Amino acid sequence: MQRNTQNAMKLMKAGEGSLKTGLFKWKPNYLEALPKFMEASGAFENAGDFANALKCYEKLALCCEKQDDLAGAADAYEHMGTIFVRQKKDVKTALSLFKKAASLYKIQNNNLKAQEIMKKLAGQCFETDQEEIGAEIYKEIIEELFDDQDYGTGAEVIPIYRNYLIRKEKYAEVLSIYEKQIKYIKSIKKYPYIAERCWLSIVCIYIVMGEHFIADEKMSSFSADVTSIRSSEEYSAALNLIDAIQKGDSVLFAKVLKRPIFTQIEIELLKKLKKCKMPAKVEAKKIVQNELFGSAGKSDAPSAKIPEPREEEEKVTGQMPEENKEIVASSEATENKEEPAKETKESVEAKPQEEKSLEEQVKEQKSEEKTNDQSEPSADYGGIFT
């Protein structure tokens, strides 16, 4: 290992010497330096000396570009990006290097290779707990697939990205990808089974979101748009799922999810479906009642009064029937008759209090008279006490 490192160091110094200029050497010799840096970079990387490996790869990319070897330069940038991801844990720098490599491949009309290295970087990001950056790379790749109408070259990244979005509960983005995929498949008139699975997944996404009515509407719209889908296993499975939800039957719902067709959808979506809770049938009925009649389950509108036959006669003839006249007269007499005053609770409580106060007044009066008799002076003593 040490001997390999020493040889790599000699090669790197020799390559740097080829790039130096002097009094009698006006231009760097890129052609001479290129193989030296290529050999040294690989030796350093294998020995684990990543700092010197990055220096050699950088010089190698420069030499390749000067020699119009764009593929060699792209390969050098790709190796540098891999070191930054795996060893330096610097995903942002790695992303810029991979993008530089991809752009060089695209200049050579090698879009497939450019896509391959970006997929490689995204996979490395997911392996190193950098899912967000990896997901952004997958998103860019998928957008290019649909923009370039080149679905077949990178279709394998679509389920990876969708699984990530479902796990993060970014359902709006997932639905958008499913719909774009269906639209694309319709345009090329190929892969109908993929469109049917996308359609089933859309229904399942709305079920996971708790939007059961929208799931039912989507099922109806798809079946009306593509009549052949009604004979598919996907349509049957979706129909059974909706039926189980409407019945509030969790056993039936779990049984439907065991069908082989659900092994063809995203694993994260299947996990979410298995965690769904069925709304009770009674609760569903209450929801319908509340939507129709208000929160109390009853109509807020006043009930229409059914007219009596005698009222109808009065409307037609303009005169009150004899029976109604007698009823009205008796009711008026009853209202005019004075009713005896009823004693309220206050009056009953106040009455004994009034009687008590009178007794107290009599007692007070007698006590006053007695006091006055005692206070008057005796006539025998002339009004003077001795």
Side-chain angles (χ1 to χ4, degrees):
M1 185 70 70
Q2 187 176 0
R3 182 179 297 178
N4 293 335
T5 305
Q6 291 176 353
N7 292 333
M9 191 67 70
K10 291 179 181 179
L11 289 168
M12 183 176 70
K13 289 182 179 180
E16 289 174 349
S18 299
L19 297 180
K20 286 182 179 180
T21 57
L23 181 61
F24 299 103
K25 187 181 178 183
W26 295 353
K27 294 181 181 181
N29 193 340
Y30 296 108
L31 182 61
E32 183 182 75
L34 192 152
K36 298 174 182 177
F37 284 121
M38 181 180 294
E39 188 176 351
S41 59
F44 279 127
E45 186 175 5
N46 292 333
D49 189 351
F50 299 109
N52 283 322
L54 287 172
K55 290 180 181 178
C56 290
Y57 277 124
E58 186 177 5
K59 298 288 180 63
L60 175 60
L62 174 64
C63 293
C64 289
E65 287 187 58
K66 293 296 183 179
Q67 296 297 315
D68 293 328
D69 184 5
L70 300 183
D75 185 69
Y77 287 128
E78 183 182 347
H79 276 86
M80 291 174 67
T82 302
I83 292 175
F84 273 102
V85 172
R86 294 190 178 279
Q87 308 302 328
K88 303 293 185 180
K89 308 299 181 184
D90 187 353
V91 179
K92 292 183 179 179
T93 303
L95 180 60
S96 64
L97 290 168
F98 269 88
K99 285 185 175 180
K100 187 178 290 187
S103 65
L104 292 175
Y105 282 125
K106 288 180 179 179
I107 291 174
Q108 296 179 304
N109 294 321
N110 195 348
N111 293 334
L112 183 60
K113 183 63 178 178
Q115 190 184 102
E116 286 295 328
I117 65 170
M118 294 308 294
K119 286 190 291 185
K120 177 182 175 182
L121 174 60
Q124 292 173 349
C125 290
F126 273 83
E127 291 174 3
T128 55
D129 297 328
Q130 299 287 338
E131 287 189 344
E132 292 184 2
I133 297 177
E136 286 298 319
I137 296 171
Y138 280 140
K139 183 179 180 180
E140 292 180 6
I141 294 172
I142 292 170
E143 288 177 351
E144 288 180 2
L145 291 179
F146 292 121
D147 290 341
D148 298 338
Q149 295 291 299
D150 193 14
Y151 172 80
T153 58
E156 71 276 6
V157 305
I158 296 177
I160 299 173
Y161 182 55
R162 282 196 301 231
N163 271 311
Y164 166 80
L165 293 176
I166 294 169
R167 188 167 66 252
K168 296 295 183 179
E169 298 184 354
K170 298 181 179 182
Y171 298 125
E173 294 182 45
V174 181
L175 291 170
S176 175
I177 294 174
Y178 281 126
E179 289 170 357
K180 286 181 180 179
Q181 199 169 0
I182 292 172
K183 183 178 179 181
Y184 172 77
I185 291 171
K186 282 184 179 180
S187 65
I188 63 174
K189 297 180 180 180
K190 293 181 180 179
Y191 316 115
Y193 63 94
I194 296 179
E196 291 169 357
R197 288 172 191 170
C198 290
W199 171 82
L200 173 61
S201 298
I202 289 174
V203 174
C204 291
I205 287 290
Y206 280 111
I207 290 174
V208 169
M209 293 171 65
E211 301 288 351
H212 304 142
F213 295 108
I214 297 179
D216 195 7
E217 289 175 1
K218 286 290 181 181
M219 188 173 66
S220 301
S221 64
F222 277 120
S223 61
D225 186 27
V226 184
T227 55
S228 60
I229 203 171
R230 297 180 183 179
S231 59
S232 66
E233 177 65 19
E234 288 82 0
Y235 182 82
S236 175
L239 194 65
N240 292 143
L241 285 178
I242 297 296
D243 183 52
I245 291 171
Q246 291 175 346
K247 292 178 179 178
D249 192 340
S250 58
V251 176
L252 176 59
F253 190 83
K255 185 178 179 181
V256 175
L257 292 179
K258 292 181 180 179
R259 291 188 180 182
I261 190 63
F262 286 98
T263 62
Q264 304 299 319
I265 67 174
E266 278 70 26
I267 185 65
E268 294 295 334
L269 179 54
L270 184 58
K271 290 179 181 178
K272 296 283 186 182
L273 285 169
K274 289 180 178 180
K275 293 179 181 179
C276 286
K277 294 181 180 179
M278 291 297 97
K281 189 175 181 181
V282 177
E283 291 178 358
K285 187 176 180 181
K286 285 182 179 178
I287 292 171
V288 175
Q289 288 180 346
N290 292 343
E291 290 178 352
L292 293 176
F293 305 118
S295 60
K298 297 180 180 180
S299 176
D300 295 333
S303 58
K305 182 181 177 182
I306 300 175
E308 296 291 336
R310 292 298 180 182
E311 291 180 1
E312 290 294 329
E313 183 180 345
E314 182 179 350
K315 288 180 181 179
V316 175
T317 61
Q319 296 179 356
M320 184 181 293
E322 294 297 331
E323 294 86 346
N324 287 8
K325 289 180 180 179
E326 294 176 0
I327 294 170
V328 172
S330 62
S331 63
E332 289 177 353
T334 305
E335 291 175 359
N336 295 331
K337 186 178 180 181
E338 295 182 358
E339 295 181 357
K342 294 181 180 180
E343 292 183 349
T344 62
K345 183 178 179 181
E346 292 79 2
S347 64
V348 173
E349 293 177 353
K351 187 173 181 181
Q353 292 178 357
E354 291 177 359
E355 293 176 355
K356 185 177 179 181
S357 62
L358 288 174
E359 291 177 358
E360 289 177 352
Q361 289 178 6
V362 173
K363 288 181 180 180
E364 288 176 0
Q365 186 176 0
K366 288 182 180 181
S367 63
E368 287 177 0
E369 289 177 356
K370 187 176 180 180
T371 305
N372 292 334
D373 293 341
Q374 292 177 356
S375 62
E376 290 180 359
S378 176
D380 297 338
Y381 293 96
I384 299 174
F385 291 98
T386 58

